[in-house]
Amino acid sequence: MKCCFKFFALFSALALLITSVGCKDSYQNAIIYYELPERPFTLDAQTASTDSELSIVKNIYEGLLRKNSSGAVVCGAAKSFEKNGLKYTFKLRENAVWSNKEPLTAADFVFGLRRAVTPVTAAPYASRLFAVKNAQDIYNGKKSADTLGISAPDEHTVVIELAYDDPGFEESLTTSVAMPCNEKFFNESGGKYGLTLDTVISCGSYRLGRWNDGEDSFGIRLYSFDNYKGTFKAKNAAVYITRAKDKTPYERLLDNNVDITFIDSALSKGAESAGLKITDYQNICWVMTMDNSLSENLRKSLALLIGEQVYSADLKPGYSAAASLFPGVISGEKTSAGMLSYNYDGAKALYSAELKNLPDKKFPSDIKLYFYDDGNIKSIITDIVGHWQNKLGAFINIETASSAEKLTPQLKNRDLPISVFPIRADSKSLSEFAEKFGISAKGKTPDAVQAELLRGTHIIPLLFQNTTVAYSSALSDVYTVPGDGYIDFSFIVKTEK
């Protein structure tokens, strides 16, 4: 009996060992299935701009610095760095390589950052590097790229000189615009760098292994980069990326066809009820703009009749009345500077007085409100316009725009009578957000920036909206960062069920 027990114990131990090994293999060999919110146009790190593009770029490149799973900025391609006054010195890992097996060198960072601030590149996030000496002058065409405050004393040393101290500069070095670029490979790409499988090389946790962008079929595959020797070795074998025509990302997630995706924030409660996990970031502000075809008093009278009480019944999950111009991810305390509170009596008095100055003593009949319809906002717009009509007798027709991009120039031009569209914070930087409105926030408090933008009632904050990442309960260690692609796949562990 004793021998049988020993045999059984030995058998159980072996079975446990085999099971453990199998579990280890299963997650290390796991494939993560990711549904893109839209098809990427480019995987050029300096020019990538959409969530789809940035999420891939984030995983196939590695900058001097990187964020760990706690969100702290740590070394990436650099093995160490020091800051002395306005000068940074980075020492690169000697074993860092590109996916074409060429060494990753300091020259790749010099070329990448110079290219990022060169006007012809039109990098959407070039301003993140403006603290570097001469960067802004280069971007504005006043100086040549070789005057940028970056140098490579040797193959494994990068020196960056700043023009002024920027508390967010180290975080900026973790983002897409600061990724390295191999000059020889770039030149050999013949103007197609980042646009095809053959014109992309990787140096991050993953390498690009497939990019099929046919009309009827789409697929991108990222494979764990075997020659990557840094701290962030992928915990899974691959990421298979799809973009379906026949179903939404949310439907694909519910059907277990994908593991992780972005979903409409209005679906977040339903996703949780279905057993999915979600991560929300309040990073979008829907704004209304009004131009000078409406007098300031008319603009203000309409603005005073906008408030949560007007459209609360139609607020979807993931949306809330804007308490300021700056959504939650923007750093700094929230401010009420320049915000108007709902005031019917004040609105009626201003409106009635202004009608006396208008032809025929009535609101202009040719005024239209143009808005981008994301599928959730039309009812809100209808509530607001209906309220203006009921309370003031102001009849305003509404018209949809096919894309938000067609309306966003209104932040600077304001040449449409009334328009409504979303503005996204791509980082927690107040300065970067203010740039979208055509002003500088340098040296200004959030109160001062908002008061300046809301003065004259040309801009009215309406709603905050979340960006929502949803994923299967089979995934753990999902780490997301607002903006810049959100998802670092290298941390994710997938357990088959």
Side-chain angles (χ1 to χ4, degrees), residues 36 118 170 283 337 340 356 415 481:
L36 287 179
T118 300
E170 291 175 15
N283 67 333
L340 296 177
K356 297 174 183 178
D415 54 6
V481 182

Side-chain angles (χ1 to χ4, degrees), residues 458-469:
H458 286 292
I459 297 172
I460 305 161
L462 295 182
L463 302 169
F464 287 147
Q465 180 188 349
N466 296 340
T467 290
T468 302
V469 179

Side-chain angles (χ1 to χ4, degrees), residues 13 56 91 110 128 163 198 252 254 281 369 480:
I56 299 171
K91 293 293 184 180
V110 173
R128 294 177 181 176
D198 294 333
R252 298 260 291 160
L254 289 178
Y281 294 101
L369 185 157
T480 61

Side-chain angles (χ1 to χ4, degrees), residues 201-376:
I201 52 172
S202 314
C203 62
S205 303
Y206 297 87
R207 62 177 177 84
L208 182 65
R210 174 181 172 183
W211 188 356
N212 178 15
D213 199 14
E215 186 64 30
D216 297 320
S217 62
F218 174 84
I220 289 177
R221 291 186 180 182
L222 309 183
Y223 297 108
S224 176
F225 183 21
D226 291 339
N227 289 328
Y228 174 78
K229 306 300 182 184
T231 306
F232 297 88
K233 185 71 177 175
K235 292 183 178 179
N236 47 75
V239 180
Y240 284 10
I241 301 171
T242 55
R243 179 71 180 111
K245 284 184 176 181
D246 56 335
K247 289 188 176 183
T248 67
Y250 182 57
E251 289 170 335
R252 298 260 291 160
L253 194 57
L254 289 178
D255 292 343
N256 293 317
N257 289 317
V258 294
D259 298 307
I260 186 168
T261 188
F262 292 89
I263 66 169
D264 183 336
S265 57
L267 301 172
S268 57
K269 287 188 177 179
E272 288 184 309
S273 298
L276 300 171
K277 299 178 182 179
I278 67 164
T279 301
D280 276 326
Y281 294 101
Q282 187 190 85
N283 67 333
I284 297 169
C285 183
W286 285 80
V287 299
M288 177 181 290
T289 66
M290 297 187 190
D291 75 358
N292 286 323
S293 63
L294 300 174
S295 68
E296 183 172 355
N297 281 342
L298 274 184
R299 295 195 301 269
K300 189 171 181 180
S301 67
L302 296 177
L304 287 170
L305 290 184
I306 295 174
E308 186 172 4
Q309 57 268 59
V310 176
Y311 48 77
S312 59
D314 286 315
L315 281 175
K316 304 288 196 306
Y319 293 76
S320 60
S324 75
L325 185 60
F326 311 133
V329 299
I330 299 292
S331 57
E333 295 182 7
K334 291 295 167 285
T335 172
S336 60
M339 293 289 291
L340 296 177
S341 300
Y342 184 92
N343 184 340
Y344 170 68
D345 292 335
K348 185 68 175 178
L350 282 172
Y351 186 79
S352 298
E354 198 61 23
L355 281 185
K356 297 174 183 178
N357 302 320
L358 295 176
D360 301 324
K361 304 295 187 290
K362 63 181 182 181
F363 192 82
S365 60
D366 59 344
I367 297 296
K368 281 187 178 181
L369 185 157
Y370 298 85
F371 72 101
Y372 169 65
D373 187 11
D374 70 338
N376 300 307

Side-chain angles (χ1 to χ4, degrees), residues 306-450:
I306 295 174
E308 186 172 4
Q309 57 268 59
V310 176
Y311 48 77
S312 59
D314 286 315
L315 281 175
K316 304 288 196 306
Y319 293 76
S320 60
S324 75
L325 185 60
F326 311 133
V329 299
I330 299 292
S331 57
E333 295 182 7
K334 291 295 167 285
T335 172
S336 60
M339 293 289 291
L340 296 177
S341 300
Y342 184 92
N343 184 340
Y344 170 68
D345 292 335
K348 185 68 175 178
L350 282 172
Y351 186 79
S352 298
E354 198 61 23
L355 281 185
K356 297 174 183 178
N357 302 320
L358 295 176
D360 301 324
K361 304 295 187 290
K362 63 181 182 181
F363 192 82
S365 60
D366 59 344
I367 297 296
K368 281 187 178 181
L369 185 157
Y370 298 85
F371 72 101
Y372 169 65
D373 187 11
D374 70 338
N376 300 307
I377 199 71
K378 187 174 183 178
S379 59
I380 302 292
I381 301 301
T382 302
D383 288 342
I384 292 172
V385 171
H387 198 67
W388 287 342
Q389 178 180 328
N390 292 334
K391 296 297 183 180
L392 299 177
F395 291 82
I396 299 174
N397 292 318
I398 63 175
E399 188 169 314
T400 60
S402 57
S403 70
E405 288 72 24
K406 290 189 175 182
L407 296 177
T408 48
Q410 300 313 308
L411 288 176
K412 299 175 183 178
N413 302 336
R414 299 182 193 125
D415 54 6
L416 284 177
I418 312 176
S419 57
V420 175
F421 48 89
I423 302 300
R424 187 177 77 164
D426 298 309
S427 70
K428 65 182 182 181
S429 167
L430 173 65
S431 294
E432 189 168 298
F433 194 67
E435 285 169 14
K436 294 176 181 285
F437 296 82
I439 72 166
S440 170
K442 189 175 179 180
K444 301 175 186 176
T445 65
D447 277 7
V449 173
Q450 180 162 293

Side-chain angles (χ1 to χ4, degrees), residues 165-226:
D165 205 19
D166 176 6
F169 182 67
E170 291 175 15
E171 182 165 353
S172 293
L173 291 182
T174 72
T175 68
S176 57
V177 73
M179 295 301 106
C181 182
N182 183 284
E183 185 173 9
K184 179 174 177 287
F185 185 86
F186 175 83
N187 291 332
E188 290 174 349
S189 297
K192 294 184 178 181
Y193 179 71
L195 301 180
T196 66
L197 176 63
D198 294 333
T199 58
V200 174
I201 52 172
S202 314
C203 62
S205 303
Y206 297 87
R207 62 177 177 84
L208 182 65
R210 174 181 172 183
W211 188 356
N212 178 15
D213 199 14
E215 186 64 30
D216 297 320
S217 62
F218 174 84
I220 289 177
R221 291 186 180 182
L222 309 183
Y223 297 108
S224 176
F225 183 21
D226 291 339

Side-chain angles (χ1 to χ4, degrees), residues 15-78:
L16 182 61
L17 178 61
I18 292 169
T19 302
S20 299
V21 171
C23 287
K24 183 178 180 182
D25 288 342
S26 70
Y27 95 69
Q28 288 184 335
N29 296 322
I31 297 171
I32 310 297
Y33 293 88
Y34 168 48
E35 185 82 356
L36 287 179
E38 65 272 307
R39 292 168 80 132
F41 171 73
T42 181
L43 297 182
D44 174 347
Q46 271 71 47
T47 62
S49 61
T50 69
D51 286 335
S52 292
E53 293 167 352
L54 292 170
S55 61
I56 299 171
V57 163
K58 184 179 188 67
N59 287 277
I60 63 174
Y61 295 95
E62 183 171 69
L64 293 165
L65 302 178
R66 191 163 169 170
K67 286 189 175 181
N68 65 16
S69 58
S70 300
V73 176
V74 297
C75 287

Side-chain angles (χ1 to χ4, degrees), residues 116-165:
V117 297
T118 300
V120 70
T121 304
Y125 301 114
S127 63
R128 294 177 181 176
L129 302 174
F130 280 178
V132 181
K133 184 179 177 181
N134 294 331
Q136 194 160 2
D137 282 343
I138 296 167
Y139 185 78
N140 292 327
K142 297 178 180 179
K143 292 187 177 180
S144 61
D146 58 7
T147 66
L148 186 67
I150 183 170
S151 59
D154 59 60
E155 283 194 351
H156 298 106
T157 305
V158 177
V159 176
I160 298 178
E161 296 181 71
L162 303 185
Y164 56 86
D165 205 19

